[in-house]
Amino acid sequence: MPFSQVLDSTDKKILYELNWNARQSNNSIAKKLRISKQVTNYRIKRMEKDGIISSYHAVIDWRRLGYNALRVYIKWNNITLEEEAKIHEHIRKDPLFMWSIKFGGEIDLGFYVWIKDIPSFSKQWQEFITKYKQFIQKYEIYESVEMIHYPMKFLWPEKKNTEELTIGQENFIDYDDKDYQILKAITINGRIPILELSTKIRLTPKSIINRIKNLEKKKIIVGYYTLINSELIGYHFYKVDFYLNNLKNIKLMNDHAKNHNNIVYRMNTIGGPDFEIEVMVENVDALEKIITEIRKNFAKDINYYRTHRLEKTIKQVYLPGESTI
């Protein structure tokens, strides 16, 4: 496990701002924090060098691009570490798999695939299952309806931000090849300068700016976030799945997630858990405190729950139609 680094309140506030809007200027962050631009620049560069800031990405609504998202959970059975590593390597190389995570808990592997049609996915999935069926105890497939991003409020509790970014609720909208090239570049580097984009895509800076604004207006780009190495700042990612007896208080549960400092994502699927959250906490005791609070507040609604720790990212692809190893 990486050694966690001590951040002061200013570092945390910078991370908060970058995570919620990675494309804002350093000068804008400096003004919000009432510190100099030079101090802001220095701290960001230091956190990039130390690996606390891993990368910057645009948040893309895959459904606006004409894709649906399926999430798959797998539990292994009678598998060696060597065989598991081989499967991870397969996932890295296979364009079928997008965001893929090694879990600890009741599920060993989770990943998303973006699909335009069921027959194509079925053929590819059948090939994967046929090859590795002997190691699979069970698997679960859900259709993703929406993913909601919340600010990392634990980094700046006084901010009291109850905003959210939602992916998956809009329908397909038209876009062209130049739009896609911009999306490709800006998902790889969410802070890429306009002039660099202009040179790369061979459009004028003004045209690039207008196209980005249009992609935002169309809600193809819904935001920009910073990938933070949570382990290096002393936090751990967990998913918690709640299966409910009824849904009469689901709106209250969703509001609870939106307002909680440590809940950073909420997911909604067809066929999956009724209430599904991702949390960032310093330790297991903090996780149990969050779960206990939810169980007390919604005691009559909860049937059972399960937790998964996000141990390792196997692969991250941020744009449908693209596959990077």
Side-chain angles (χ1 to χ4, degrees):
M1 180 182 297
F3 177 75
S4 62
Q5 301 186 32
V6 177
L7 303 179
D8 64 19
S9 62
T10 300
D11 288 332
K12 291 178 180 179
K13 289 175 181 179
I14 290 172
L15 284 178
Y16 171 93
E17 287 292 339
L18 284 173
N19 177 263
W20 194 238
N21 180 7
R23 199 151 177 84
Q24 64 180 305
S25 68
N26 290 4
N27 192 44
S28 174
I29 295 172
K31 287 180 179 179
K32 290 177 182 178
L33 271 60
R34 297 182 180 179
I35 58 177
S36 72
K37 183 180 178 181
Q38 290 74 21
V39 168
T40 305
N41 291 344
Y42 169 77
R43 286 175 179 256
I44 290 174
K45 287 179 181 178
R46 174 174 53 78
M47 288 190 283
E48 289 174 341
K49 182 180 178 181
D50 291 345
I52 293 171
I53 295 174
S54 300
S55 50
Y56 306 99
H57 306 278
V59 181
I60 307 298
D61 190 333
W62 28 263
R63 211 178 301 280
R64 293 298 259 176
L65 299 180
Y67 288 83
N68 292 315
L70 299 180
R71 189 181 66 214
V72 182
Y73 281 159
I74 291 178
K75 181 68 178 176
W76 300 126
N77 178 56
N78 195 29
I79 189 172
T80 66
L81 292 173
E82 291 75 18
E83 289 293 346
E84 189 174 11
K86 286 180 183 177
I87 295 173
H88 291 176
E89 187 60 26
H90 176 139
I91 287 170
R92 290 188 188 99
K93 293 180 177 179
D94 191 333
L96 173 66
F97 303 99
M98 306 301 173
W99 177 87
S100 305
I101 291 287
K102 174 179 168 59
F103 283 111
E106 293 186 30
I107 297 299
D108 296 313
L109 176 67
F111 53 81
Y112 277 92
V113 296
W114 287 306
I115 65 168
K116 284 193 171 182
D117 62 87
I118 291 294
S120 296
F121 165 72
S122 178
K123 182 175 182 295
Q124 292 174 285
W125 177 245
Q126 199 62 37
E127 291 172 357
F128 179 83
I129 283 292
T130 299
K131 188 171 184 177
Y132 299 114
K133 180 67 174 174
Q134 61 181 313
F135 302 121
I136 297 175
Q137 181 184 112
K138 65 174 183 176
Y139 67 87
E140 307 165 14
I141 299 181
Y142 313 132
E143 170 133 12
S144 182
V145 176
E146 62 182 358
M147 177 179 285
I148 297 92
H149 295 236
Y150 301 125
M152 289 186 173
K153 293 185 284 294
F154 63 90
L155 292 171
W156 195 351
E158 301 83 11
K159 187 80 170 178
K160 303 296 181 185
N161 188 349
T162 57
E163 293 179 280
E164 60 184 33
L165 297 178
T166 301
I167 302 172
Q169 282 297 305
E170 303 289 342
N171 295 318
F172 170 75
I173 193 166
D174 196 33
Y175 59 97
D176 62 22
D177 182 62
K178 289 295 185 183
D179 287 335
Y180 189 83
Q181 289 181 48
I182 291 171
L183 292 174
K184 180 178 177 181
I186 213 165
T187 53
I188 293 172
N189 178 8
R191 303 197 95 196
I192 185 171
I194 294 297
L195 287 177
E196 187 177 335
L197 260 177
S198 175
T199 302
K200 184 186 291 285
I201 298 173
R202 298 182 181 178
L203 290 173
T204 66
K206 184 177 180 180
S207 180
I208 292 289
I209 291 170
N210 288 337
R211 280 178 175 266
I212 289 176
K213 286 181 178 178
N214 193 43
L215 289 167
E216 292 170 345
K217 185 178 179 181
K218 287 181 174 181
K219 297 184 180 179
I220 293 176
I221 298 175
V222 298
Y224 305 90
Y225 82 106
T226 299
L227 185 62
I228 296 169
N229 188 324
S230 57
E231 299 280 328
L232 284 181
I233 63 171
Y235 281 79
H236 311 285
F237 253 115
Y238 288 89
K239 286 183 88 288
V240 189
D241 299 337
F242 289 90
Y243 294 82
L244 307 180
N245 295 313
N246 62 77
L247 300 179
K248 66 180 183 180
N249 286 320
I250 192 65
K251 186 180 183 304
L252 291 176
M253 297 183 79
N254 292 342
D255 289 341
H256 180 86
K258 182 177 183 178
N259 290 289
H260 199 286
N261 283 353
N262 295 84
I263 297 175
V264 293
Y265 295 104
R266 178 173 62 82
M267 281 68 75
N268 183 19
T269 65
I270 295 174
D274 300 300
F275 179 63
E276 180 180 356
I277 56 176
E278 287 188 13
V279 302
M280 285 184 70
V281 290
E282 294 180 283
N283 50 51
V284 174
D285 288 342
L287 172 68
E288 288 301 321
K289 183 178 179 181
I290 292 170
I291 293 172
T292 299
E293 183 181 5
I294 293 172
R295 291 179 66 194
K296 284 182 178 179
N297 289 342
F298 304 100
K300 294 181 180 179
D301 304 288
I302 297 171
N303 188 339
Y304 69 99
Y305 69 93
R306 62 182 184 179
T307 63
H308 325 290
R309 176 174 172 171
L310 282 71
E311 292 190 347
K312 182 178 74 172
T313 299
I314 298 167
K315 181 178 182 180
Q316 282 180 310
V317 178
Y318 297 93
L319 182 65
E322 270 301 301
S323 179
T324 55
I325 298 174

